[in-house]
Amino acid sequence: MDDMPVEAESHEAAEVLLVLDGHLELEVDGRPVPVCAGELHLVPAGAVHAVRPGSRGALVIVERRDGSGDN
């Protein structure tokens, strides 16, 4: 994350965002959700989410591949 925003998006499957270092200024369904280093946030399937300006550090995103069907 480099202080730059990322446009809003949504996915058919849930997505897990894990902040390794720094902080994530997330917006989910229009509400701000700050996520600090060592924390994770589960974005529910279908939720509109965006990275707000000021997010900085390292982030891991875990999502299921489209059409996987596997658990």
Side-chain angles (χ1 to χ4, degrees):
M1 299 176 289
D2 61 1
D3 281 330
M4 299 300 296
V6 176
E7 292 187 29
E9 60 183 8
S10 66
H11 309 281
E12 291 183 14
E15 182 176 66
V16 175
L17 307 174
L18 170 63
V19 178
L20 299 177
D21 181 52
H23 63 277
L24 169 62
E25 297 297 331
L26 185 63
E27 184 172 302
V28 180
D29 288 335
R31 289 176 291 169
V33 179
V35 187
C36 297
E39 297 179 341
L40 62 83
H41 184 78
L42 173 67
V43 178
V48 176
H49 57 286
V51 176
R52 297 169 49 192
S55 298
R56 202 157 181 74
L59 172 69
V60 174
I61 300 172
V62 180
E63 59 185 36
R64 190 176 77 193
R65 289 190 307 207
D66 290 327
S68 126
D70 296 332
N71 293 330

